Amino acid sequence: MANTNFDYDLFVIGGGSGGVRAARVAAGEYGAKVALAEDDRYGGTCVIRGCVPKKLMVFASGYANVVDEAKCYGWDLTEGPFDWHGFKTRLNTELDRLEGVYRNLLAGSGVDTYDQRAKLKDAHTVELADGTTKTAKHILVATGGRPIRPDIPNAELGIVSDDIFHLEKLPKSILIIGGGYIASEFACILNGLGVEVTQYYRGAQILRGFDEEARGLVAESMRENGVDLHVGTNILEMSLLADHKDGAMPTQSDAAMGASVQQAQDIHTQSSGANAGRKGPIWVKSTTGGEKVFDMVLFATGRDPASTDMGLEELGVKLGRKGQIEVDEYSQTAVPSVYAIGDVTDRVNLTPVAIREGMAFVQTVFGANPTPVDHDLIASAIFTQPEMGTVGLSEEDAREQEEIEVYSTSFRPMQSAFAEKSDRVLMKLVVSKKDRTVLGCHIVAPNAGEMIQLAGIAVKARLTKEQFDATCAVHPTMSEELVTMRNPTRTA
Ligand code: NDP
């Protein structure tokens, strides 16, 4: 299929989930001549420094409660320490394996790969870091995003989520800044692994944009589990304790401080910038006036599209305020031969969405079947402890739109209630009063991510409350409540 005027039919920049899928389907299923450039590890954010290692850490962290619970069920078990080094070794082996899978998938589809940075030279030409150029009929930018630090002095003393998987040791204490997915997930993970976790979120409640009742329960559970969560609080100043003019640490004993200093000096934080390579406990002043010292500070304050220094604007590709590549419903940019998918377009920043955008791009360009990407009713999960699974409208957003009925129940699940734990779960449906469609489903529970995947099918199919009710319950489960809630909790 190769167009004789170009080296390739398609040149993909970025070897993450979206880029790899588009490249191998275009080559493998449509016979296109395809190349892909990646200057880091294949697999991108999701596989190498996001979803996959994070989820494995969620599993590791979840075992913290197992011994206590198992004892209540009659097991004679004793708890041992968590071995970060042992876990990390296995984690790295798994990531190497997955990266190999990605490379093999590309090779198996006949995609040429270039392990170097690429940028656009003109509408059909890509320039590689070694100075060579390749021409292509179509160019697909799938470079993802990267974590950002807030603009405060000494911010480079803090780590970002990419760095967590490389830590030599877990810190004794950590301050996490932010209240989004990454901040809340890592607060729970690290808390479970025995780190003293403090979280500052500048707004009134973490997980802004999600259903109030659901995020309220997540926040309450996080606090009960030991996360020192402060809302309405942000970081104001930070410096190495050694550089802090008062030098004194107001909230820890000298002995504790000594241990903390040693611990922090042992931790490799991979900071860059003016403080690169400098280590030690970090003094922090918050917007509410408190001063504290932490072994580590993690900025989980959002991610920016990786679109800088790519030659995009020079070419006429339009970028938005955050640097996101602006595309139409077919992922086409203002330059017709250049397309973009995934986090670099800052639409819905989730791996399965990037993959679907990649597939829709291939169908549009190589399948002669223009396919817009459907971004409506995407289910997602936040892997806090407990997890939150969500699809559709929150109660608050639905109420803005139309009259609704809310069916909601919160209870102690059988498994942990038997183990005398106070954990609560939430099952909630937001229903249109007019046509009875289930507009939103929100679950806070262990394995809510697994549950919302299935509930998501029903919500995406726009089933009604009566169709939910016609489904016989699976008993005894937590999720049976989704088909047994007879009377609305409230109407609005
Ligand atoms: P989010 O945008 O979800 O959260 C960023 C957080 O940082 C918000 O709480 C924001 O506050 C806060 N913040 C931003 N700037 C500052 C600042 N200057 N000072 C203090 N706080 C600040 O980003 P994440 O990095 O957590 O995640 C990025 C994306 O990655 C998510 O949107 C999601 O799409 C994806 N993701 C998905 C996961 C999943 O599906 N489980 C897991 C991890 C990531 P405010 O609310 O006030 O703006």
Side-chain angles (χ1 to χ4, degrees):
M1 181 173 172
N3 186 312
T4 46
N5 295 325
F6 299 105
D7 297 327
Y8 293 103
D9 297 311
L10 172 65
F11 199 106
V12 179
I13 306 178
S17 306
V20 168
R21 176 63 67 92
R24 70 183 180 85
V25 175
E29 289 180 23
Y30 292 93
K33 189 161 191 287
V34 181
L36 183 147
E38 167 60 60
D39 66 348
D40 202 324
R41 299 184 63 184
Y42 284 68
T45 301
C46 173
V47 176
I48 302 298
R49 59 194 86 84
C51 321
V52 172
K54 180 277 304 287
K55 188 80 189 275
L56 291 168
M57 283 184 77
V58 168
F59 291 138
S61 173
Y63 286 103
N65 296 322
V66 163
V67 170
D68 266 1
E69 265 189 48
K71 280 182 188 162
C72 294
Y73 282 89
W75 289 93
D76 179 14
L77 298 177
T78 38
E79 209 171 319
F82 172 66
D83 174 11
W84 168 247
H85 182 73
F87 169 73
K88 210 177 78 169
T89 305
R90 288 183 66 84
L91 177 67
N92 286 331
T93 306
E94 177 61 3
L95 299 187
D96 289 346
R97 186 186 72 80
L98 291 171
E99 187 180 8
V101 168
Y102 269 65
R103 281 185 181 275
N104 289 338
L105 284 171
L106 289 169
S109 307
V111 176
D112 289 347
T113 49
Y114 297 93
D115 292 1
Q116 50 186 307
R117 190 175 157 76
K119 57 193 287 186
L120 282 84
K121 199 160 179 237
D122 65 41
H124 293 284
T125 309
V126 165
E127 183 177 8
L128 295 166
D130 65 9
T132 57
T133 55
K134 304 287 169 198
T135 58
K137 187 169 184 200
H138 304 284
I139 296 170
L140 178 67
V141 183
T143 44
R146 55 174 66 102
I148 47 170
R149 292 176 169 82
D151 189 17
I152 60 169
N154 298 325
E156 67 275 17
L157 289 170
I159 63 166
V160 292
S161 58
D162 291 359
D163 303 325
I164 288 185
F165 313 109
H166 302 292
L167 295 175
E168 288 301 327
K169 279 186 176 180
L170 286 181
K172 186 167 179 296
S173 64
I174 192 165
L175 170 65
I176 299 180
I177 310 292
Y181 282 79
I182 295 179
S184 305
E185 289 182 342
F186 275 108
C188 295
I189 291 169
L190 294 171
N191 178 56
L193 295 179
V195 178
E196 289 162 22
V197 177
T198 305
Q199 184 179 356
Y200 289 173
Y201 173 54
R202 63 186 179 181
Q205 184 58 283
I206 58 167
L207 300 171
R208 181 166 62 83
F210 292 99
D211 185 87
E212 282 288 338
E213 194 178 7
R215 64 196 183 121
L217 180 55
V218 171
E220 186 187 315
S221 308
M222 283 171 64
R223 288 194 175 100
E224 272 172 21
N225 292 339
V227 175
D228 186 15
L229 170 61
H230 299 251
V231 294
T233 307
N234 203 352
I235 190 167
L236 187 63
E237 286 179 57
M238 68 188 294
S239 68
L240 282 178
L241 180 66
D243 294 346
H244 177 53
K245 60 182 181 331
D246 301 332
M249 212 300 287
T251 55
Q252 274 176 271
S253 68
D254 287 349
M257 175 60 91
S260 188
V261 169
Q262 186 56 50
Q263 174 89 9
Q265 283 171 346
D266 288 345
I267 295 164
H268 178 53
T269 60
Q270 295 204 334
S271 60
S272 58
N275 284 305
R278 300 195 64 204
K279 298 173 200 167
I282 299 168
W283 168 85
V284 170
K285 186 170 183 181
S286 76
T287 49
T288 50
E291 295 180 44
K292 274 193 170 183
V293 171
F294 301 92
D295 289 339
M296 192 172 280
V297 173
L298 166 66
F299 288 111
T301 45
R303 297 173 62 84
D304 271 356
S307 62
T308 47
D309 195 25
M310 293 275 304
L312 290 162
E313 278 173 304
E314 296 86 325
L315 206 64
V317 172
K318 290 202 171 51
L319 301 185
R321 196 180 52 83
K322 275 180 76 181
Q324 74 273 24
I325 299 179
E326 295 196 342
V327 290
D328 67 10
E329 58 184 334
Y330 301 104
S331 300
Q332 191 171 29
T333 72
V335 176
S337 58
V338 180
Y339 287 73
I341 56 164
D343 288 6
V344 75
T345 63
D346 198 28
R347 286 175 280 179
V348 179
N349 298 332
L350 299 171
T351 300
V353 177
I355 290 172
R356 292 179 83 93
E357 289 167 356
M359 294 293 286
F361 157 77
V362 172
Q363 275 157 24
T364 300
V365 172
F366 296 100
N369 174 24
T371 307
V373 185
D374 177 8
H375 289 109
D376 194 26
L377 293 172
I378 294 166
S380 73
I382 301 138
F383 295 98
T384 41
Q385 294 168 12
E387 286 175 19
M388 175 164 135
T390 181
V391 61
L393 295 177
S394 65
E395 178 179 343
E396 296 69 38
D397 286 347
R399 209 187 292 132
E400 295 273 295
Q401 182 181 293
E402 61 183 279
E403 281 187 60
I404 55 165
E405 284 181 353
V406 175
Y407 296 79
S408 172
T409 176
S410 181
F411 55 94
R412 291 173 72 198
M414 184 195 267
Q415 185 175 2
S416 52
F418 184 81
E420 290 161 23
K421 295 198 154 175
S422 59
D423 310 12
R424 299 188 76 75
V425 302
L426 172 76
M427 300 286 155
K428 176 167 179 176
L429 297 176
V430 179
V431 177
S432 162
K433 222 170 167 181
K434 185 174 69 197
D435 64 13
R436 311 295 299 150
T437 309
V438 176
L439 301 169
C441 174
H442 310 283
I443 302 175
V444 178
N447 290 318
E450 302 291 345
M451 296 183 211
I452 205 70
Q453 177 66 82
L454 302 178
I457 300 170
V459 175
K460 180 76 183 168
R462 300 183 197 277
L463 299 191
T464 61
K465 176 71 170 66
E466 282 62 37
Q467 287 168 310
F468 271 64
D469 294 348
T471 308
C472 191
V474 177
H475 184 72
T477 63
M478 292 178 275
S479 51
E480 67 181 298
E481 298 290 334
L482 292 176
V483 297
T484 56
M485 291 186 284
R486 292 286 167 252
N487 300 311
T489 318
R490 53 191 168 269
T491 55

